[in-house]
Amino acid sequence: HVVVEEYVPAAGAGVVDDGRARVVCLSARTPDRLRAYARALLDHIDRHAVYDEEDEARPEPDPTTLRELAGLAAGLVGVAAAELNPGDDLGEYGFDQVNLAQLGARVDARYDLPVDPERFAACRTLADFAAVLPSDRTGVQAITTPTVRRAPVGYDLEFARLAYTLQVGRDQMTERLAIVATSVADLRERLVRHLADDPTLDGVWTGGGAQRGVLSDLLLDGREGAEYLRVLREDGNVDKLARLWTAGVDLDWEALHAGPRPTRLPLPTYPFEPRRCWVSGRLRPDGLIDRPAGQPGTGADPAPVTEPAPALPSAPAAATADGTADQRERLYDLIAEVLGWRREEIRPDAGFEELGFTSILVHELSGRLTERFGPVPVTALFEYKTVDALARYLTALPTPAPVEV
């Protein structure tokens, strides 16, 4: 027999929630995904709220009302109404703060209630929503004091472990959000205000862009940089660490922890952007795709290339600014077509690895480039690793002679 139990790690020795300010880091490839990441963390915190036992008592919800609410909620996240358990946290079904606000608006409209964003603010289950509704459904006069749970008395999350996990257990991407907080409750409040675009919010920084890497070289290389970070850590200057990180500096968070390290927590992972990736067309023996007429990328198969591929030019100095710009525009179209992205999502300084190119996609793009520009070796995509660099290389290529038919 085999007995399987959940592994419950022991708390880090000597690491406690002592009220010290810590930096909570979130990063993503785009501002939209960064915002989704912040919402996911907020939902995770709410699912770990602890309430007073007296707040759990409530009258049994009316079954008819619960069925109506399940029908209103089902369409928001693509879950069948029958699958929604009235007592389950809606976050378990994929509801985020936006979905909960949308459900509140639907409930207001269904029962002809005046719009009040605060009415359902504490609701996390269908039973919570049912408890707030008027008992006779005839008007707002019947609404009594909500019997939903009051503010939580705490959270079953250790703040030191939460901050440490997000610092050392996640990749440092371009778009960044840093929040300086002293507890889980403090972090939750700042997340709520950040997502509401509160202009008076302090202790929160965002950033990202081309300065990444340049600042790292300037500030942190060598003994001077290590000493600078040590002083910031010992002085407890977490605000400056947060500002450096959101400015693009890749900090070694592990090195900034002196003494015992906390253990990591299970936390939300990267909120990948939903994309429909349907492949239309026939897969050819060479690995490319024949697309139906009228779709981007349609064209005759390229003529076989018998001569060797040209050597990669070491310095495309002959490229003019206008020529490079034209090639870059064509390259944007090809890359968007291969990835299935929107054209505006592709930055000129983005590396192909950052854009998500696999070996298969590199092969497909190389084939498309050969169709459009003449022979382009696959190695060019490894030598010129950004859209802008590849555009300059393509500009320096000799114009292919017209093919005689």
Side-chain angles (χ1 to χ4, degrees):
H1 299 281
V2 176
V3 178
V4 179
E5 291 186 275
E6 178 186 3
Y7 170 68
V8 180
V15 179
V16 296
D17 285 336
D18 50 10
R20 286 175 45 209
R22 289 179 166 86
V23 183
V24 175
C25 306
L26 293 175
S27 67
R29 296 189 185 279
T30 65
D32 174 69
R33 291 298 87 198
L34 183 59
R35 196 170 183 85
Y37 210 165
R39 284 198 300 267
L41 180 59
L42 176 59
D43 290 339
H44 182 81
I45 292 172
D46 285 341
R47 286 196 292 273
H48 286 265
V50 177
Y51 297 91
D52 192 301
E53 290 184 3
E54 294 180 0
D55 291 338
E56 299 291 340
R58 69 174 73 204
E60 194 67 27
D62 173 48
T64 302
T65 302
L66 290 176
R67 284 195 296 272
E68 292 175 350
L69 292 173
L72 294 175
L76 290 173
V77 291
V79 177
E83 297 178 8
L84 294 172
N85 188 322
D88 286 349
D89 190 307
L90 290 170
E92 302 292 340
Y93 298 98
F95 279 74
D96 58 20
Q97 295 297 119
V98 175
N99 298 137
L100 291 171
Q102 291 171 333
L103 178 56
R106 287 189 175 192
V107 174
D108 283 339
R110 167 65 180 82
Y111 296 108
D112 197 24
L113 303 175
V115 176
D116 180 5
E118 298 300 320
R119 179 181 296 118
F120 302 112
C123 295
R124 296 292 306 179
T125 69
L126 293 180
D128 289 342
F129 280 88
V132 178
L133 291 173
S135 57
D136 61 0
R137 311 289 188 273
T138 59
V140 296
Q141 292 78 10
I143 297 179
T144 58
T145 302
T147 59
V148 295
R149 296 166 177 164
R150 296 190 293 271
V153 295
Y155 299 88
D156 60 353
L157 292 170
E158 296 178 52
F159 182 60
R161 295 176 64 195
L162 183 151
Y164 178 78
T165 300
L166 293 175
Q167 288 171 1
V168 305
R170 301 293 185 269
D171 289 340
Q172 303 184 67
M173 300 185 189
T174 306
E175 299 297 328
R176 300 180 177 189
L177 166 66
I179 300 176
V180 173
T182 57
S183 66
V184 174
D186 185 23
L187 171 62
R188 184 192 182 280
E189 179 185 354
R190 293 177 189 278
L191 279 170
V192 169
R193 292 174 62 188
H194 168 70
L195 291 170
D197 298 318
D198 185 345
T200 65
L201 178 60
D202 60 357
V204 177
W205 293 270
T206 58
Q211 77 269 38
R212 182 181 181 183
V214 176
L215 285 175
S216 297
D217 294 340
L218 181 64
L219 294 174
L220 302 182
D221 275 358
R223 289 185 305 167
E224 297 86 352
E227 180 67 14
Y228 175 59
L229 293 178
R230 184 190 65 79
V231 171
L232 290 181
R233 183 197 70 205
E234 292 182 354
D235 291 350
N237 200 335
V238 291
D239 284 13
K240 187 164 288 187
L241 288 173
R243 292 169 63 186
L244 283 170
W245 187 73
T246 53
V249 175
D250 288 340
L251 297 177
D252 183 356
W253 291 105
E254 191 71 64
L256 291 173
H257 284 268
R261 267 62 165 173
T263 52
R264 299 188 190 184
L265 280 177
L267 292 174
T269 53
Y270 190 82
F272 292 100
E273 182 174 356
R275 293 183 183 276
R276 295 178 61 86
C277 301
W278 295 103
V279 177
S280 0
R282 178 179 60 85
L283 184 65
R284 303 190 324 212
D286 60 3
L288 302 183
I289 296 173
D290 275 335
R291 301 184 184 274
Q295 286 197 3
T298 301
D301 288 353
V305 179
T306 56
E307 60 275 0
L312 301 181
S314 57
T320 64
D322 291 340
T324 299
D326 292 341
Q327 299 293 50
R328 186 186 298 118
E329 294 302 310
R330 298 187 185 97
L331 195 53
Y332 279 144
D333 292 334
L334 284 177
I335 291 174
E337 184 181 309
V338 170
L339 292 176
W341 288 22
R342 296 186 299 273
R343 192 176 180 279
E344 58 271 17
E345 293 180 291
I346 302 167
R347 304 192 323 272
D349 62 336
F352 293 113
E353 182 178 347
E354 180 183 351
L355 292 172
F357 271 87
T358 63
S359 57
I360 295 174
L361 292 178
V362 166
H363 180 68
E364 181 175 352
L365 179 59
S366 177
R368 299 290 179 82
L369 292 171
T370 296
E371 291 179 359
R372 183 71 62 89
F373 302 103
V376 175
V378 175
T379 52
L381 278 73
F382 298 98
E383 181 75 16
Y384 303 100
K385 298 181 179 180
T386 67
V387 178
D388 193 57
L390 185 60
R392 291 196 299 271
Y393 162 69
L394 294 173
T395 305
L397 288 178
T399 303
V403 178
E404 295 184 5
V405 180

